Amino acid sequence: MNTTPNSNQDLKSTGIPFGASLPQPGSELPSTSTGRTAFSGGTAEPARPQDIAMLTGGILLLLIMSIGSAFAATKKVPRLTNGKPDFSGIWQTTSAADYDLEPHANRQDAPPGAGIIEGQYLPYLPKALEQKKKNFEARATDDPALKGYTLGVPRGIYYPEPFQIFQRKQDLTLVHQFGHSVRTIHTDGTDHPKDPYDWWLGDSRAHWEGDTLVVDVKHFNDKTWFDRAGNFHSDALHVIEKWAFLDPNTIEYKATVEDPNVFTRPWNISVILYRHREKNFQLIEDYRFTLDYDQYYPPKPNKP
């Protein structure tokens, strides 16, 4: 809409005398005899003290309500007797990250996905990238998960099956439905063992930063993958996890992954975990490597 006066009538409607020069950008606007500032298309009353007070009061009220809501959400977060957040419960992500951590189009064995990596793509070393490509081509047979092996860290968190957390002051125990793998996160101030083995799930030692649980995980073997697409690591893998409630039934899980034998730099992922609240929901045994023996168990009586 063109608001520039273009006729004698238009100029009269603004309160600007006919023949007067229009104000230039940045100049002070003329005032009418009533004390109102003249604008083409209408007039504006000077701000009154009561209007300013009402606006200020409204902003303060919104700010107080926002702070109150945040405080209420924090207060509702389940806590242990020592005041630390209690992550006990059965959790699962809706993310499709296990198909491929990186953005990918649909393929026969996976739906499309945006990935969960900060920066989208993994920073492979050239030689490691070649191995990743080989893994991808052989994924239908070589994925350790297909053999029923322990998923590892962080894959066990975003794998599309639930896991349960049991939490005490000194530790958290994670029980995964897949393979019933059990992982302990120590929160008692102890350090990693000095002469460790290399474990499928690594060794987890944690501390609290406010309401965020920060977990340092190291001493892995090299037998797990990050996903079904063949993204992999060596036994030099090091993971730093951060667990934090978004609300009483939602956890934001973040992890920083580094492995100087495979990647040029550390990289980050983030997924959301949701609490299962369905009636009678529980973990159900999912041992893949026993399927070949199901025909023999339980033992069947001899037939005549």
Side-chain angles (χ1 to χ4, degrees), residues 188-223:
D188 56 359
T190 56
D191 200 358
H192 296 287
K194 301 301 181 183
D195 187 21
Y197 294 100
D198 287 342
W199 291 288
W200 289 83
L201 292 165
D203 180 71
S204 300
R205 309 285 163 163
H207 66 276
W208 293 95
E209 294 182 359
D211 282 348
T212 299
L213 181 67
V214 181
V215 189
D216 188 88
V217 198
K218 58 194 300 186
H219 303 318
F220 291 94
N221 63 31
D222 61 356
K223 301 183 185 302

Coordinates of all heavy atoms in Angstrom, one line a residue, residues 188-223:
D188 N 30.4 -42.9 42.6 CA 30.9 -42.9 43.9 C 32.3 -42.2 44.0 O 33.0 -42.3 45.0 CB 31.0 -44.3 44.5 CG 31.8 -45.2 43.6 OD1 32.3 -44.8 42.6 OD2 32.0 -46.4 44.0
G189 N 32.7 -41.6 43.0 CA 34.0 -40.8 43.0 C 35.2 -41.7 42.6 O 36.3 -41.2 42.6
T190 N 35.0 -43.0 42.3 CA 36.1 -43.8 42.0 C 36.6 -43.6 40.5 O 35.8 -43.1 39.7 CB 35.7 -45.3 42.1 OG1 34.6 -45.6 41.3 CG2 35.4 -45.6 43.6
D191 N 37.8 -43.9 40.3 CA 38.4 -43.6 38.9 C 38.4 -44.9 38.1 O 38.2 -46.0 38.6 CB 39.8 -43.1 39.1 CG 40.3 -42.3 37.9 OD1 39.5 -42.3 36.9 OD2 41.4 -41.8 37.9
H192 N 38.7 -44.8 36.9 CA 38.9 -46.0 36.0 C 40.0 -46.9 36.5 O 41.0 -46.4 37.1 CB 39.3 -45.5 34.6 CG 38.2 -44.7 33.9 ND1 37.0 -45.3 33.4 CD2 38.1 -43.4 33.6 CE1 36.3 -44.4 32.8 NE2 36.9 -43.2 32.9
P193 N 39.9 -48.2 36.3 CA 41.0 -49.1 36.8 C 42.3 -48.7 36.1 O 42.3 -48.3 34.9 CB 40.5 -50.5 36.4 CG 39.4 -50.2 35.4 CD 38.8 -48.9 35.7
K194 N 43.4 -48.9 36.8 CA 44.7 -48.6 36.2 C 45.2 -49.6 35.2 O 46.0 -49.3 34.3 CB 45.7 -48.5 37.4 CG 45.4 -47.4 38.4 CD 45.2 -46.0 37.8 CE 44.9 -45.0 38.8 NZ 44.7 -43.6 38.3
D195 N 44.8 -50.9 35.4 CA 45.3 -52.0 34.5 C 44.0 -52.7 34.0 O 43.7 -53.8 34.4 CB 46.2 -52.9 35.3 CG 46.8 -53.9 34.3 OD1 46.8 -53.7 33.1 OD2 47.2 -55.0 34.8
P196 N 43.3 -52.0 33.1 CA 42.0 -52.5 32.7 C 42.0 -53.6 31.6 O 43.0 -53.7 30.9 CB 41.3 -51.3 32.2 CG 42.4 -50.5 31.5 CD 43.6 -50.8 32.4
Y197 N 40.9 -54.3 31.5 CA 40.6 -55.1 30.3 C 39.9 -54.2 29.3 O 39.6 -53.0 29.6 CB 39.7 -56.3 30.6 CG 40.3 -57.3 31.5 CD1 40.0 -57.3 32.9 CD2 41.2 -58.3 31.0 CE1 40.5 -58.3 33.7 CE2 41.7 -59.2 31.9 CZ 41.4 -59.2 33.2 OH 42.0 -60.2 34.0
D198 N 39.7 -54.7 28.1 CA 38.9 -53.9 27.1 C 37.5 -54.6 27.1 O 37.4 -55.8 26.8 CB 39.5 -54.0 25.7 CG 40.7 -53.1 25.6 OD1 40.9 -52.2 26.5 OD2 41.5 -53.3 24.7
W199 N 36.5 -53.8 27.4 CA 35.1 -54.3 27.6 C 34.2 -53.9 26.5 O 34.4 -52.9 25.8 CB 34.5 -53.8 28.9 CG 35.2 -54.4 30.1 CD1 35.1 -55.6 30.6 CD2 36.0 -53.7 31.1 NE1 35.8 -55.8 31.8 CE2 36.4 -54.6 32.1 CE3 36.5 -52.3 31.1 CZ2 37.2 -54.2 33.1 CZ3 37.3 -52.0 32.2 CH2 37.7 -52.9 33.2
W200 N 33.2 -54.7 26.3 CA 32.1 -54.4 25.3 C 31.4 -53.1 25.6 O 31.1 -52.3 24.6 CB 31.1 -55.5 25.2 CG 31.6 -56.8 24.6 CD1 32.3 -57.8 25.3 CD2 31.4 -57.2 23.3 NE1 32.6 -58.8 24.4 CE2 32.1 -58.5 23.2 CE3 30.8 -56.7 22.1 CZ2 32.1 -59.2 22.0 CZ3 30.9 -57.4 20.9 CH2 31.5 -58.7 20.9
L201 N 31.2 -52.8 26.8 CA 30.5 -51.6 27.2 C 31.4 -50.6 27.9 O 31.0 -49.5 28.4 CB 29.4 -51.9 28.2 CG 28.2 -52.7 27.7 CD1 27.4 -53.3 28.8 CD2 27.4 -51.9 26.7
G202 N 32.7 -50.8 27.8 CA 33.7 -49.9 28.4 C 33.5 -49.8 29.9 O 32.8 -50.6 30.6
D203 N 34.2 -48.9 30.5 CA 34.2 -48.7 32.0 C 33.6 -47.3 32.2 O 34.2 -46.3 31.6 CB 35.5 -48.8 32.6 CG 35.5 -48.6 34.1 OD1 35.0 -49.4 34.8 OD2 36.0 -47.5 34.6
S204 N 32.6 -47.1 33.0 CA 31.9 -45.9 33.1 C 32.0 -45.3 34.5 O 31.6 -45.9 35.5 CB 30.4 -46.0 32.8 OG 30.2 -46.5 31.5
R205 N 32.6 -44.0 34.6 CA 32.7 -43.3 35.8 C 32.1 -41.9 35.6 O 32.4 -41.2 34.7 CB 34.2 -43.2 36.2 CG 35.0 -44.5 36.2 CD 34.6 -45.4 37.4 NE 35.0 -46.8 37.2 CZ 35.2 -47.6 38.1 NH1 34.9 -47.3 39.4 NH2 35.5 -48.9 37.9
A206 N 31.3 -41.5 36.6 CA 30.5 -40.3 36.4 C 30.6 -39.3 37.6 O 30.9 -39.7 38.7 CB 29.0 -40.7 36.2
H207 N 30.2 -38.1 37.3 CA 30.1 -37.1 38.3 C 28.9 -36.2 37.9 O 28.4 -36.2 36.8 CB 31.4 -36.3 38.5 CG 31.7 -35.4 37.3 ND1 32.4 -35.9 36.1 CD2 31.4 -34.1 37.0 CE1 32.5 -35.0 35.3 NE2 32.0 -33.9 35.7
W208 N 28.5 -35.3 38.9 CA 27.3 -34.4 38.6 C 27.8 -33.0 38.4 O 28.7 -32.5 39.1 CB 26.4 -34.4 39.8 CG 25.7 -35.7 40.0 CD1 26.0 -36.8 40.9 CD2 24.5 -36.2 39.4 NE1 25.1 -37.8 40.8 CE2 24.2 -37.5 39.9 CE3 23.6 -35.6 38.4 CZ2 23.1 -38.2 39.4 CZ3 22.5 -36.3 38.0 CH2 22.2 -37.6 38.5
E209 N 27.3 -32.4 37.3 CA 27.4 -31.0 37.1 C 26.1 -30.3 37.2 O 25.3 -30.3 36.2 CB 28.1 -30.7 35.7 CG 29.5 -31.3 35.6 CD 30.2 -31.0 34.3 OE1 29.5 -30.4 33.4 OE2 31.3 -31.3 34.1
G210 N 25.7 -29.9 38.4 CA 24.3 -29.4 38.7 C 23.4 -30.6 38.6 O 23.6 -31.7 39.3
D211 N 22.4 -30.6 37.7 CA 21.5 -31.7 37.5 C 21.8 -32.5 36.3 O 21.0 -33.4 35.9 CB 20.0 -31.2 37.4 CG 19.4 -30.8 38.7 OD1 20.0 -31.1 39.8 OD2 18.4 -30.1 38.7
T212 N 23.0 -32.4 35.8 CA 23.4 -33.1 34.6 C 24.4 -34.2 35.0 O 25.4 -33.9 35.7 CB 24.1 -32.2 33.5 OG1 23.1 -31.3 33.1 CG2 24.5 -33.1 32.4
L213 N 24.2 -35.4 34.7 CA 25.1 -36.5 34.9 C 26.1 -36.6 33.8 O 25.7 -36.8 32.6 CB 24.3 -37.9 35.1 CG 25.2 -39.1 35.4 CD1 25.8 -39.0 36.8 CD2 24.4 -40.4 35.3
V214 N 27.4 -36.5 34.1 CA 28.4 -36.5 33.1 C 29.2 -37.8 33.3 O 29.8 -38.0 34.4 CB 29.4 -35.3 33.2 CG1 30.5 -35.3 32.2 CG2 28.6 -34.0 33.1
V215 N 29.2 -38.6 32.2 CA 29.8 -40.0 32.3 C 31.0 -40.1 31.4 O 30.9 -39.8 30.2 CB 28.8 -41.1 32.0 CG1 29.3 -42.4 32.3 CG2 27.5 -40.8 32.7
D216 N 32.1 -40.5 32.0 CA 33.4 -40.7 31.2 C 33.5 -42.2 31.0 O 33.5 -43.0 31.9 CB 34.6 -40.2 32.0 CG 35.8 -40.3 31.1 OD1 36.1 -39.3 30.4 OD2 36.6 -41.3 31.2
V217 N 33.5 -42.6 29.7 CA 33.5 -44.1 29.3 C 34.7 -44.4 28.5 O 34.9 -43.7 27.4 CB 32.2 -44.5 28.6 CG1 32.0 -46.0 28.6 CG2 31.0 -43.8 29.2
K218 N 35.5 -45.3 28.9 CA 36.7 -45.7 28.1 C 37.0 -47.2 28.4 O 36.3 -47.9 29.0 CB 37.9 -44.9 28.5 CG 38.2 -44.9 30.0 CD 39.2 -43.8 30.5 CE 40.5 -43.8 29.8 NZ 41.4 -42.8 30.3
H219 N 38.1 -47.7 27.8 CA 38.5 -49.1 27.9 C 37.5 -50.0 27.2 O 37.0 -51.0 27.7 CB 38.7 -49.5 29.4 CG 39.6 -48.7 30.1 ND1 40.8 -48.3 29.6 CD2 39.6 -48.2 31.4 CE1 41.5 -47.6 30.5 NE2 40.7 -47.5 31.6
F220 N 37.3 -49.7 25.9 CA 36.4 -50.5 25.0 C 37.2 -51.6 24.3 O 38.4 -51.4 24.0 CB 35.7 -49.6 24.0 CG 34.7 -48.7 24.6 CD1 35.0 -47.4 24.9 CD2 33.4 -49.1 24.7 CE1 34.1 -46.5 25.4 CE2 32.4 -48.2 25.2 CZ 32.8 -47.0 25.6
N221 N 36.5 -52.6 23.8 CA 37.1 -53.4 22.7 C 36.7 -52.8 21.4 O 36.0 -51.7 21.3 CB 36.7 -54.9 22.8 CG 35.2 -55.1 22.6 OD1 34.5 -54.4 21.9 ND2 34.7 -56.1 23.3
D222 N 37.0 -53.4 20.2 CA 36.7 -52.9 18.9 C 35.7 -53.7 18.2 O 35.6 -53.7 17.0 CB 38.0 -52.7 18.1 CG 38.7 -54.1 17.8 OD1 38.2 -55.1 18.4 OD2 39.7 -54.1 17.1
K223 N 34.8 -54.4 18.9 CA 34.0 -55.4 18.3 C 32.5 -54.9 18.1 O 31.7 -55.7 17.6 CB 33.9 -56.7 19.2 CG 35.3 -57.3 19.4 CD 35.2 -58.6 20.1 CE 36.6 -59.1 20.4 NZ 37.4 -59.4 19.2

